[in-house]
Amino acid sequence: MRSTNIKPISYLKANAAEVLKHLAEQREPFLITQNGEAKAVIQDIASYESTQETLALLKILALGNREIEEGKVKPIADVARRLRARKTSVK
């Protein structure tokens, strides 16, 4: 984050439309301060959604790794055999 993207809350209040335009065009977040302390980060919706999707994928990977560590895995051949058996019994 560039230092030019660190703004006090008063700047955000006075220039909300300009900040939103910058967010949409540059896709760089703003750090909002209050009384000299960092209080919030504001970003465009596309960046936010991308971040949320990335976090969801990382959570899925972490759950998968935990299941592997706990030995909750099955050989692919066994899974394929069970799926084929289920498929033929449904017909």
Side-chain angles (χ1 to χ4, degrees), residues 16-36:
E18 180 183 321
V19 168
L20 292 176
K21 181 180 176 187
H22 174 85
L23 290 171
E25 292 174 356
Q26 303 298 316
R27 295 192 66 180
E28 295 176 352
F30 275 92
L31 177 72
I32 304 301
T33 63
Q34 187 175 35
N35 299 323

Side-chain angles (χ1 to χ4, degrees), residues 9-58:
I9 196 164
S10 57
Y11 179 88
L12 177 61
K13 289 177 184 178
N15 300 285
E18 180 183 321
V19 168
L20 292 176
K21 181 180 176 187
H22 174 85
L23 290 171
E25 292 174 356
Q26 303 298 316
R27 295 192 66 180
E28 295 176 352
F30 275 92
L31 177 72
I32 304 301
T33 63
Q34 187 175 35
N35 299 323
E37 292 184 31
K39 292 293 182 174
V41 174
I42 185 171
Q43 68 183 137
D44 66 286
I45 193 69
S47 295
Y48 173 79
E49 289 174 345
S50 177
T51 299
Q52 294 303 305
E53 289 173 8
T54 300
L55 287 173
L57 290 171
L58 288 171

Side-chain angles (χ1 to χ4, degrees), residues 58-75:
L58 288 171
K59 286 180 183 179
I60 290 168
L61 287 172
L63 288 172
N65 284 336
R66 185 180 314 144
E67 288 182 354
I68 290 169
E69 290 170 1
E70 293 172 355
K72 297 179 179 178
V73 295
K74 297 185 186 322

